[in-house]
Amino acid sequence: MSLSPQLPERTPPRERADAARNRQRVLDAAARLFAAGDPRTVTMEDIAREAGVGKATLYRRYPDQGAVAAALLDEHERDLQEKLLRGAPPLGPGAPPAERLAAFYAAMVELLDRHLPLVLGAETGAARYGTGAYGFWRAHLRVLLTDAGVADPEPLIEPLLAPLAPDVYRYQRHERGQGPDEIAAGLSWLAQRILRSA
């Protein structure tokens, strides 16, 4: 019986109406800015100015622009996490580990392609490893590797997640000109070779 990573419990605190409006203005403004250019150059001052809120209001909720991008990404990533836990196979439980890994790669390619500016804003470099989503992806890979019979899965987790780094994906798409289907097919080949021979 395989273990499953768990979604963290969400019990959002009550939010005042004006705070909710400001939060939505900040997220809408950040989404526009991240989509308009290189998200790594967006500053907290840019976000506050675009949202029409004071910097103190912005910093009260978000410590930096990465946290703003992470808030925008949260719902998209949680949707994928739910499918990994309870969705239909091969993405969800019930398929062999190699097929589940290939399906995970395909789903992540879709998420990266659709939300690349946000992911670049939230998860570039060392910041990637501190996100809750990355912890969930790690747990999922550990489950798949264990189910495939890998005695010590830990050393393989980061190499298997490395192709999903947003800067790697950006390079493949925009510098190398590879399409999402081509990238997903390459990752599927990798998944099948690694886990079928495990």
Side-chain angles (χ1 to χ4, degrees):
M1 178 173 154
S2 68
L3 302 172
S4 292
Q6 297 299 308
L7 283 173
E9 290 297 321
R10 262 199 312 185
T11 53
R14 290 178 185 234
E15 190 174 34
R16 292 188 339 260
D18 61 331
R21 280 192 301 274
N22 281 339
R23 177 177 56 80
Q24 196 57 53
R25 286 168 68 185
V26 164
L27 294 178
D28 291 345
R32 289 192 298 273
L33 289 170
F34 287 138
D38 185 344
R40 294 166 293 186
T41 66
V42 174
T43 67
M44 291 293 273
E45 289 75 13
D46 295 333
I47 296 171
R49 186 168 45 262
E50 179 76 12
V53 301
K55 285 193 284 186
T57 298
L58 181 60
Y59 278 105
R60 228 183 339 267
R61 184 179 290 270
Y62 304 107
D64 55 36
Q65 59 270 38
V68 179
L72 283 166
L73 266 179
D74 184 59
E75 286 306 312
H76 307 301
E77 291 177 329
R78 282 187 174 275
D79 180 57
L80 176 53
Q81 291 167 4
E82 182 66 28
K83 289 175 182 171
L84 291 170
L85 289 173
R86 290 176 267 281
L91 190 56
E99 290 178 27
R100 291 200 71 197
L101 179 57
F104 169 68
Y105 277 148
M108 284 297 294
V109 165
E110 183 181 347
L111 186 146
L112 286 167
D113 206 64
R114 188 173 297 169
H115 304 293
L116 187 59
L118 288 181
V119 186
L120 284 166
E123 299 181 2
T124 298
R128 177 177 188 235
Y129 306 110
T131 66
Y134 188 83
F136 188 94
W137 311 144
R138 280 194 100 260
H140 182 60
L141 264 288
R142 188 183 303 108
V143 167
L144 297 184
L145 289 163
T146 301
D147 286 352
V150 176
D152 185 10
E154 282 298 317
L156 283 174
I157 294 173
E158 265 61 47
L160 289 173
L161 287 172
L164 300 174
D167 45 351
V168 171
Y169 188 77
R170 182 174 184 266
Y171 175 74
Q172 288 181 287
R173 287 286 284 123
H174 300 292
E175 302 297 323
R176 304 300 303 169
Q178 297 168 359
D181 291 344
E182 184 181 2
I183 295 168
L187 292 172
S188 177
W189 183 92
L190 179 69
Q192 299 292 345
R193 293 308 178 279
I194 288 178
L195 289 195
R196 280 213 173 132
S197 60

